Amino acid sequence: MALRFRERGKTGRRQRQEHTIQDRAKAINTSWHRTTDTVLETARLCADAEQKLRPADKNKLFKELDFNKATFSKLAGQKHINRVD
């Protein structure tokens, strides 16, 4: 188990802070679910654009995105995946 030390307390001694397995698991799981939700929402938006935009409009969209066409296509293809907790 990794230990971290806080600033020196009133006594001048370092206070030891232990991270339990449960603390670490909770932090990791919280981050994972935020990430999963964000990716799935992005996939939903891409799938919607894929279905509703004409090819010329999709090409305009690709130029505005922070990721490339291949990534868009991969995300758009994920529309049928349901999140499993």
Side-chain angles (χ1 to χ4, degrees), residues 4 40 48 69 71 81:
R4 290 196 317 186
L40 291 175
D48 185 62
K69 184 178 178 179
T71 301
I81 292 178

Side-chain angles (χ1 to χ4, degrees), residues 19-38:
H19 296 282
T20 66
I21 298 298
Q22 292 81 12
D23 292 338
R24 290 180 190 279
K26 183 178 178 182
I28 291 167
N29 288 335
T30 298
S31 177
W32 167 251
H33 288 295
R34 271 194 307 250
T35 302
T36 303
D37 290 341
T38 302

Side-chain angles (χ1 to χ4, degrees), residues 1-6 15-19 24:
M1 180 180 331
L3 302 175
R4 290 196 317 186
F5 292 94
R6 294 184 182 180
Q15 298 173 359
R16 203 165 76 170
Q17 179 185 18
E18 296 183 19
H19 296 282
R24 290 180 190 279

Side-chain angles (χ1 to χ4, degrees), residues 38-74:
T38 302
V39 170
L40 291 175
E41 175 63 10
T42 304
R44 186 191 67 73
L45 294 168
C46 290
D48 185 62
E50 178 71 29
Q51 287 180 338
K52 295 181 179 175
L53 294 179
R54 296 177 314 187
D57 291 333
K58 279 192 270 187
N59 286 330
K60 290 177 185 175
L61 176 65
F62 297 147
K63 293 176 183 175
E64 298 293 324
L65 295 176
D66 290 337
F67 48 86
N68 62 29
K69 184 178 178 179
T71 301
F72 175 89
S73 295
K74 288 175 189 174

